[in-house]
């Protein structure tokens, strides 16, 4: 269970507005009493009835006295909020815990507590708190849920104070709020082996010699504890200090996840749209690769990556992998359509090569973008593409007997350039497509006489 930092504030009486603030807080009952009192006073003057005047004054003064007393009451109430968890997948519930503390020496009256939440998280929660003794505490909680990813502010808290007769209600607002992050839902994936995965010890790791060759050794200075058998005497004589050969360095396998966010590449909106499936698919692959020990990088068609990401991406299988996953999930929680028309910016980022495994989630493609992806494939030893064609995606799975002519042509172009390309029907399971991609990769390798399963 993770929690967000609790906000803290105090509700106290203010001096702004004076009597206007108090009169503005009169309830319907209070306004009715005031109007009835004024009307009785006027009637007593017209009819000459002194007893009616006393009744009118009583009716008019009672709400005014209640408003004045309530306005001048020095309630000092501290409030805090705790989210459990603060980051939740779409479609899942989070619980918000509220705590109110009476930090004054006077007991409070009846309090109504309400919290502001966006409409997509549900109705605004309201709670009635009984009288709190001096130093007392009350705790309540409510649940929020959203099918739409994003960052949603919660708060500020509001307290509604009322008098015992229900004549007046005043609202005191707290100043702090918290943020609930709704991230894409992550689907567990099978641990298949795709092209571009490094071989060697550990998942997602390979050894690379830190030497340029037997005759071109790159030594380093001797450190306490180094094996004397690794001393390189030629370099020692040259530099005048003890030098040793470098050990084999563990090099982490790399994976780049390309997410096509072009607005022209997708149709529809909402949690069941093709774009949301692509975002959730990218999140699932990122988490899966991090867990397998890959250095993972998230890339979009605009050429942007996750803020704080290093040149080699985020490293997995380390203490920082959870933080890395959190940063990428926070980025995907708010990612939206771009105004771009092509994938050339992403290709420019990948032109350096040595990108490891490339996994792409793509929308509608034309011949030009398919050609760009073909050149992009040459920069990676292995590439898998999940293509969400709008015409295919908008049809029910039972109505899709095969890819349409346009999408089939794009898939053929990608496969000819070396991609393991799959069309994504509506409501498809990423895990099944992930396994299918592995089977097709194995089939391609067997047909070309390469490495078998």
């Amino acid at each position: 269970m993770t929690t967000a930092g609790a906000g803290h504030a105090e509700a106290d009486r203010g001096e702004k507005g004076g009597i206007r603030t108090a009169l503005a807080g009169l309830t319907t009952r209070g306004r009715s009493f005031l109007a009835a009192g004024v009307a009785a006073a006027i009637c007593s003057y017209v009819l000459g009835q002194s007893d009616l005047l006393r009744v009118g004054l009583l009716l008019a003064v009672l709400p005014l006295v209640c408003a004045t007393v309530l306005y001048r009451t020095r309630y000092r109430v501290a409030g805090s909020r705790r989210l459990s968890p603060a980051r939740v997948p779409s479609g899942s519930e989070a619980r918000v815990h509220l705590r109110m503390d009476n930090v004054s020496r006077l007991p409070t009256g009846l309090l109504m507590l309400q919290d502001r939440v966006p409409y997509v998280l549900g109705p605004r929660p309201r709670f009635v708190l009984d009288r709190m003794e001096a130093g007392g505490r009350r705790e309540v909680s409510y649940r929020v849920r959203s099918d739409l990813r994003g960052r949603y502010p919660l708060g500020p808290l509001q307290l509604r104070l009322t008098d015992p007769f229900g004549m007046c209600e005043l609202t005191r607002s707290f100043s702090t709020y918290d943020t609930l992050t709704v991230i894409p839902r992550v689907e567990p994936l099978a641990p298949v082996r795709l092209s571009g995965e490094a071989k060697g010890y550990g998942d997602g790791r390979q050894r690379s010699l830190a030497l340029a060759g037997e005759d071109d050794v790159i030594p380093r200075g001797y450190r306490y504890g180094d094996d004397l058998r690794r001393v390189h005497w030629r370099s020692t004589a040259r530099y005048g200090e003890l030098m040793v050969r470098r050990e084999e360095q563990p090099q982490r396998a790399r994976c780049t996840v390309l997410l096509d966010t072009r607005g022209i590449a997708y149709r529809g909106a909402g949690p069941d749209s093709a774009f949301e499936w692509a975002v959730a698919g990218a999140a699932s692959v990122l988490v899966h690769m991090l867990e397998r020990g890959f250095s993972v990088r998230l890339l979009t068609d605009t050429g942007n990556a996750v803020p704080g990401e290093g040149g080699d991406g985020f490293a997995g299988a380390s203490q920082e992998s959870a933080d890395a996953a959190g940063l990428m999930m926070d980025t995907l929680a708010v990612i939206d359509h771009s105004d771009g028309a092509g994938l050339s910016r992403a290709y420019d980022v990948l032109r350096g090569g040595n990108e490891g495994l490339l996994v792409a989630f793509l929308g509608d493609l034309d011949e030009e973008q398919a050609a760009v992806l073909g050149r992009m494939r040459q920069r990676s030893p292995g590439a898998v593409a999940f293509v969400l064609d709008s015409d295919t995606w908008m049809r029910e799975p039972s109505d899709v007997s095969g890819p349409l002519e346009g999408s089939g042509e794009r898939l053929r172009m990608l496969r000819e350039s070396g991609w393991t390309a799959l069309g994504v029907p509506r409501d498809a399971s990423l895990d099944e497509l992930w396994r299918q991609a592995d089977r097709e990769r194995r089939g391609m390798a067997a047909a070309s006489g390469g490495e078998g399963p």
Side-chain angles (χ1 to χ4, degrees), residues 80-83 96-98 112-118 122-127 140 142 144 153-159 174 176-178:
S80 63
R81 182 191 298 105
R82 179 171 57 89
L83 307 183
V96 184
H97 302 268
L98 304 177
M112 177 178 289
L113 177 67
Q114 63 180 9
D115 202 6
R116 290 186 178 181
V117 299
R124 178 175 296 184
R126 293 182 174 88
F127 305 93
V140 293
Y142 64 94
V144 290
L154 301 178
L157 284 170
Q158 289 184 334
L159 274 179
F174 293 75
T176 60
Y177 66 92
D178 293 293

Side-chain angles (χ1 to χ4, degrees), residues 226-245:
D226 285 339
D227 190 348
L228 292 178
R229 290 175 296 182
R230 290 175 41 229
V231 174
H232 191 259
W233 298 109
R234 182 181 302 178
S235 299
T236 299
R238 179 181 179 182
Y239 292 103
E241 60 177 321
L242 202 59
M243 308 292 289
V244 297
R245 294 182 177 88

Side-chain angles (χ1 to χ4, degrees), residues 348-381:
D348 292 338
V349 176
L350 297 176
R351 290 180 66 178
N354 192 26
E355 299 298 331
L357 178 63
L358 176 61
V359 182
F361 292 87
L362 308 168
D364 292 337
L365 300 173
D366 53 23
E367 292 186 6
E368 180 181 356
Q369 304 313 315
V372 173
L373 289 168
R375 297 193 300 270
M376 196 180 297
R377 168 64 179 87
Q378 301 174 3
R379 303 292 178 179
S380 176

Side-chain angles (χ1 to χ4, degrees), residues 87 99 152 162 164 170 180 208-209 219 292 353 356-357 364 397 432:
R87 185 187 291 116
R99 193 181 81 176
Y152 300 101
T162 183
L170 295 181
L180 175 68
S208 64
L209 287 175
R292 297 192 63 181
L357 178 63
D364 292 337
E432 295 180 0

Side-chain angles (χ1 to χ4, degrees), residues 231-420:
V231 174
H232 191 259
W233 298 109
R234 182 181 302 178
S235 299
T236 299
R238 179 181 179 182
Y239 292 103
E241 60 177 321
L242 202 59
M243 308 292 289
V244 297
R245 294 182 177 88
R246 293 181 184 269
E247 292 180 331
E248 291 181 343
Q249 301 288 335
Q251 181 179 358
R252 194 178 301 276
R254 303 172 65 182
C255 175
T256 299
V257 178
L258 173 62
L259 176 61
D260 183 7
T261 63
R262 296 173 299 141
I264 61 175
Y266 299 94
R267 299 181 194 172
D272 297 328
S273 63
F275 181 66
E276 293 302 321
W277 192 96
V279 174
S284 301
V285 174
L286 287 168
V287 173
H288 175 71
M289 289 302 183
L290 273 176
E291 292 176 349
R292 297 192 63 181
F294 279 65
S295 289
V296 179
R297 177 170 62 170
L298 172 63
L299 184 65
T300 66
D301 57 289
T302 61
N304 296 327
V306 180
E309 183 180 278
D312 293 334
F314 290 109
S318 64
Q319 295 181 352
E320 294 81 14
S321 60
D323 296 335
L327 286 175
M328 288 188 288
M329 292 301 103
D330 289 344
T331 300
L332 290 175
V334 296
I335 201 168
D336 203 352
H337 291 293
S338 69
D339 298 329
L343 302 171
S344 58
R345 292 183 181 178
Y347 171 71
D348 292 338
V349 176
L350 297 176
R351 290 180 66 178
N354 192 26
E355 299 298 331
L357 178 63
L358 176 61
V359 182
F361 292 87
L362 308 168
D364 292 337
L365 300 173
D366 53 23
E367 292 186 6
E368 180 181 356
Q369 304 313 315
V372 173
L373 289 168
R375 297 193 300 270
M376 196 180 297
R377 168 64 179 87
Q378 301 174 3
R379 303 292 178 179
S380 176
V384 181
F386 300 96
V387 183
L388 293 89
D389 179 78
S390 296
D391 293 332
T392 304
W393 181 266
M394 299 299 291
R395 296 159 60 183
E396 294 293 338
S398 57
D399 298 334
V400 181
S401 57
L404 299 181
E405 180 178 356
S407 62
E409 177 65 20
R410 303 298 177 263
L411 291 175
R412 184 189 63 80
M413 293 179 61
L414 292 178
R415 289 165 181 164
E416 289 180 351
S417 61
W419 284 84
T420 302

